[in-house]
Amino acid sequence: MPSSVSFAKITLSYPVYAADFDPYGRGYLVTGGGGGEGRSGVGNRITLLDVSSRATIKKVGELELSRDEDRVSTISNLAVKEGIVAYAGINSSESDRKNGKNEHFRSFEIKFPPRKRQRTSKGGGDGQNEENESQADVKFLAKTALFDPVQNASNEMYQRVMRLSPVVRQDRPNKRIGAIASDLAPENEEILVFNATTSTPKDSDVFSRISLPKNERAMDVDINKTEESRFLVAYSTNYSVSVRELEYDFVLKKGTVAGESHCVYTIPKLDRRPKFRSLRFLTRHFILLLADLPNRGAELLILRLHQSEAGFIALRKTLSTKAVGFDVCALDADATTGDRQFVIAVAGSDNSIQIFTLDLDAGKDTLSTFRKYTTLRDVHPIYITRVCFEPFHSPARGPQPSTSGTSNEELTPENANPVPLNALPQYIRLASTSAANQVVVDTFPLTPTTPTSRNSRYILASPSSLSSLTPYIVLAFALAVCSLLMQSVLEAQSALEPGSGILRFLSPGTRQNIQGSLGPAASLISQLNLAGLTAKLFSPNAPKSPPSMHAFATPQLRHFVERASKEGSVAESPAVVVHEHAPDELSLDVHPDAAAYLASERGSQAKRWEELEPHQQAAWKEKLVRAGHWALDEGDTVLKGILFSEWAGFVGEMARDVMQR
């Protein structure tokens, strides 16, 4: 863990299953949990924690709930001027549920206590002596049932998921909507969307209901605000991701469904399919997915959405351990370009938390690859129940520097090192909870992208720039060694004049040392029957590797066929081309003019599906299935007219050209 990352820990009197930060980033965290109904000794509670210090966590308010009802399962917070309105998912008592009454949706009002200045003792100690502080006021507001009455009559059904739309820190109240999802319903699970501008939502505030197919449940739900009153709701089941566009008039308190739910991605049918666990919107066009792999490990996936088409997986990152949860923090965007960074936390079954970053290029609407920041080891003694980031809001900037060049802050005895307001340190907080009654808050320092600019955005910089460059340095070194070895092989076979390659740029002494080191290896390779070795490697009877468990994380062939049909014109006939760059490494592309491509040097080796021999078609089918571009249940129709270009033939032409030269 980087030394700049700090953490604080507190142990509560109950197992913690739900947590959420103050949406305005005022340094408070609300937690909830308990032992459930009928368990003596472990009560159900909602707690307010002060996490403004990077060194300590203070419990500043708590409300004990009924032990005749279920524990707190979900929490989401609304920000108000003097505190928070907390929405919570809590099932009614078993007797009430048996009678068809389950008021699962609760709301609580939490007023923050006034913060007092800390006094540090000069005579030693930990420096945390404080004046007496008043406790927060935590009180119950209301409870209601929002799910369908028929489904809600189930004894086991509960509110499994709750999400609110993104918040913007502003003087006026935020216009937000919320979504909750059921689990263990007797028939069809349900997702409902409601107006989240009131402290006590009622059934009349629900303006959209989504009934899932039988035997399917919502693994996660998220909301993206596309315009002032328009929202996009995304939800995932075990094997699919769907979206629904909604519109809500906050003045008239009336919502409309702009479009029915439609599936944007489905995991191809394999013998052992991965399962989606969670999702989060990054932008309007990108959704981050967390999937559990069949054997062990997990995978982060970037789903790219299109306006009216199915999406495809644009990026993925494989993790070595099973995941139990994740969350995303969107840092502030550049005021000019819109570029921003996303910080991702993934909690593992080994009680670790991995931290990654993604960078958005807003102009090109593209994302960088996943970059590993750090791994927090052994965060909790037993399994992690929840991870969540505190929302990050762009800090208030100081006034323009004066022309005299003085600092924005005045030098005083209490402030010996004044710092301009635009350069004050910024942090993001990550909270994690566990069934061991613990709450841990890790604090990560942020860095301005342009320290000299007042309006610089912030990023989570890598602990070491050298460590991020290490893979590229190793790759460059490996390529250099391979190049030198290949030149030595060609010189040994008299295919290249000695000293005519890249070695000519080195001094005679260095060149002689390299040739002496690589000479035995080059001599051995030159004696091999390279043609026979190539034939064995690419023979149809060569051993095949088992189908990849990650095959579902690649773009579908059908998507490219549909794209080609839309881009076609009367004068030109576009073509979808499948390139084989190396064994089991395929790429798909659309060329605007099939005839022109076939007439080109690169396209001369390509063949249409109809021109392939039966054994060639069978081989290509196996490659497409292994790469995840095509599934057997899609049939052969989608393959007709597609061009297939083999890597071996292309490389062979290049090799013959080199030998002739």
Side-chain angles (χ1 to χ4, degrees):
M1 181 176 70
S3 58
S4 56
V5 178
S6 57
F7 78 95
K9 180 173 65 176
I10 189 172
T11 301
L12 303 177
S13 61
Y14 58 90
V16 186
Y17 295 101
D20 196 28
F21 279 97
D22 167 29
Y24 279 3
R26 291 170 288 187
Y28 289 99
L29 176 71
V30 181
T31 63
E37 182 178 358
R39 295 187 182 182
S40 60
V42 181
N44 303 314
R45 290 179 170 83
I46 283 184
T47 306
L48 179 68
L49 302 175
D50 185 341
V51 296
S52 56
S53 169
R54 285 178 287 157
T56 59
I57 301 175
K58 295 182 295 181
K59 184 173 71 174
V60 295
E62 191 169 74
L63 179 65
E64 185 169 359
L65 306 176
S66 172
R67 297 194 182 192
D68 295 330
E69 296 186 321
D70 205 354
R71 60 174 172 82
V72 182
S73 60
T74 57
I75 286 179
S76 290
N77 296 327
L78 292 178
V80 294
K81 184 176 181 180
E82 297 180 349
I84 287 172
V85 172
Y87 294 153
I90 305 173
N91 266 9
S92 297
S93 65
E94 185 176 0
S95 60
D96 286 344
R97 297 198 305 272
K98 287 182 178 179
N99 293 326
K101 182 181 179 182
N102 184 9
E103 295 173 311
H104 57 87
F105 193 95
R106 315 292 175 95
S107 55
F108 301 85
E109 182 183 57
I110 303 175
K111 291 186 177 180
F112 296 152
R115 282 200 174 109
K116 303 290 183 70
R117 283 186 171 273
Q118 294 182 349
R119 301 179 303 170
T120 57
S121 60
K122 297 181 180 180
D126 59 3
Q128 295 298 322
N129 295 335
E130 303 166 357
E131 299 178 11
N132 293 329
E133 294 187 1
S134 59
Q135 291 289 295
D137 183 15
V138 184
K139 66 179 182 180
F140 168 77
L141 288 179
K143 59 182 178 180
T144 186
L146 298 180
F147 289 128
D148 180 83
V150 176
Q151 302 290 338
N152 199 36
S154 168
N155 186 35
E156 301 297 330
M157 181 175 174
Y158 73 104
Q159 181 179 309
R160 181 176 182 271
V161 179
M162 177 161 53
R163 291 287 294 174
L164 300 182
S165 58
V167 66
V168 178
R169 189 164 61 182
Q170 56 190 17
D171 295 333
R172 63 184 186 278
N174 272 265
K175 296 179 179 179
R176 305 177 72 186
I177 65 172
I180 58 175
S182 67
D183 197 6
L184 300 181
E187 294 184 12
N188 300 75
E189 303 292 355
E190 184 179 29
I191 301 172
L192 59 84
V193 187
F194 61 94
N195 170 26
T197 61
T198 174
S199 58
T200 56
K202 303 178 180 63
D203 188 67
S204 58
D205 291 305
V206 177
F207 63 93
S208 179
R209 293 180 183 269
I210 303 171
S211 181
L212 299 182
K214 191 175 181 61
N215 299 324
E216 289 192 7
R217 65 172 180 168
M219 300 303 298
D220 203 2
V221 180
D222 200 20
I223 305 172
N224 179 259
K225 188 174 183 179
T226 57
E227 296 178 15
E228 180 61 26
S229 299
R230 295 180 72 91
F231 301 88
L232 194 64
V233 177
Y235 57 94
S236 61
T237 62
N238 281 335
Y239 304 113
S240 66
V241 179
S242 301
V243 298
R244 172 178 284 193
E245 193 170 0
L246 302 171
E247 187 171 357
Y248 189 79
D249 190 321
F250 290 93
V251 177
L252 300 177
K253 296 188 181 300
K254 182 179 180 181
T256 57
V257 178
E260 289 300 318
S261 299
H262 64 281
C263 180
V264 293
Y265 184 75
T266 301
I267 298 177
K269 293 182 179 179
L270 303 172
D271 292 338
R272 305 184 67 185
R273 302 168 77 185
K275 291 184 179 181
F276 290 129
R277 173 179 286 272
S278 305
L279 62 79
R280 291 290 184 274
F281 271 106
L282 299 180
T283 70
R284 168 65 177 81
H285 300 118
F286 291 108
I287 296 179
L288 177 63
L289 301 165
L290 177 64
D292 288 325
L293 297 178
N295 290 328
R296 62 185 304 272
E299 199 158 33
L300 288 170
L301 309 167
I302 299 294
L303 176 62
R304 182 72 158 87
L305 300 180
H306 293 279
Q307 290 293 338
S308 58
E309 303 177 24
F312 64 90
I313 301 301
L315 190 65
R316 71 184 184 189
K317 173 70 176 180
T318 303
L319 310 178
S320 59
T321 59
K322 284 283 187 183
V324 297
F326 87 144
D327 198 21
V328 177
C329 179
L331 302 185
D332 56 338
D334 188 279
T336 303
T337 65
D339 296 348
R340 73 189 321 165
Q341 187 182 77
F342 300 95
V343 184
I344 303 159
V346 183
S349 57
D350 59 351
N351 303 326
S352 68
I353 300 178
Q354 298 184 67
I355 307 297
F356 301 92
T357 61
L358 275 174
D359 293 291
L360 171 69
D361 187 328
K364 298 179 180 178
D365 198 21
T366 58
L367 290 169
S368 70
T369 57
F370 291 95
R371 294 189 178 94
K372 180 74 168 290
Y373 176 76
T374 189
T375 298
L376 309 175
R377 305 283 183 186
D378 301 320
V379 181
H380 292 274
I382 61 176
Y383 66 92
I384 297 173
T385 56
R386 169 82 167 144
V387 286
C388 62
F389 276 109
E390 181 180 44
F392 180 77
H393 301 281
S394 184
R397 310 307 202 216
Q400 285 283 1
S402 63
T403 56
S404 61
T406 58
S407 172
N408 289 331
E409 289 189 356
E410 184 179 358
L411 179 65
T412 63
E414 293 79 14
N415 187 16
N417 298 297
V419 180
L421 288 179
N422 60 292
L424 289 176
Q426 297 296 317
Y427 304 89
I428 55 173
R429 298 184 181 97
L430 173 69
S432 59
T433 63
S434 74
N437 304 3
Q438 289 186 350
V439 178
V440 176
V441 176
D442 292 278
T443 305
F444 303 86
L446 301 179
T447 303
T449 55
T450 311
T452 57
S453 172
R454 297 177 58 254
N455 298 315
S456 173
R457 66 183 179 95
Y458 286 83
I459 61 171
L460 183 65
S462 297
S464 170
S465 58
L466 179 61
S467 63
S468 63
L469 293 176
T470 299
Y472 302 100
I473 296 174
V474 173
L475 178 61
F477 179 77
L479 290 175
V481 172
C482 290
S483 300
L484 294 172
L485 184 60
M486 181 58 69
Q487 177 171 335
S488 299
V489 170
L490 294 176
E491 289 181 358
Q493 295 180 340
S494 301
L496 189 67
E497 182 180 351
S500 62
I502 60 175
L503 293 178
R504 70 179 186 273
F505 297 105
L506 304 177
S507 64
T510 304
R511 184 164 60 241
Q512 184 176 0
N513 291 335
I514 292 176
Q515 289 175 332
S517 301
L518 297 179
S523 177
L524 176 62
I525 294 175
S526 66
Q527 297 175 26
L528 295 177
N529 185 349
L530 297 180
L533 181 61
T534 303
K536 179 177 287 188
L537 286 174
F538 301 114
S539 170
N541 299 322
K544 306 295 184 190
S545 59
S548 171
M549 292 299 181
H550 317 309
F552 71 98
T554 53
Q556 292 280 308
L557 183 63
R558 186 177 298 277
H559 166 75
F560 283 84
V561 174
E562 293 173 354
R563 173 182 159 192
S565 63
K566 293 179 180 180
E567 294 180 357
S569 63
V570 177
E572 298 176 343
S573 175
V576 176
V577 183
V578 181
H579 299 281
E580 183 186 25
H581 300 286
D584 292 335
E585 291 187 12
L586 307 182
S587 68
L588 308 180
D589 199 5
V590 176
H591 288 268
D593 190 344
Y597 174 76
L598 290 171
S600 65
E601 181 178 357
R602 186 179 184 186
S604 61
Q605 300 294 325
K607 292 183 179 180
R608 296 187 183 275
W609 176 256
E610 298 82 358
E611 300 172 348
L612 297 175
E613 298 294 332
H615 71 278
Q616 293 176 314
Q617 291 181 345
W620 275 109
K621 283 183 179 180
E622 184 177 351
K623 295 174 184 178
L624 291 170
V625 169
R626 187 180 296 112
H629 295 302
W630 177 79
L632 292 174
D633 57 1
E634 293 185 75
D636 293 0
T637 304
V638 70
L639 302 175
K640 293 181 179 179
I642 294 177
L643 298 175
F644 292 84
S645 178
E646 290 190 352
W647 169 79
F650 177 69
V651 173
E653 291 295 329
M654 292 181 60
R656 280 192 291 271
D657 182 64
V658 170
M659 297 297 289
Q660 290 173 359
R661 292 175 182 273

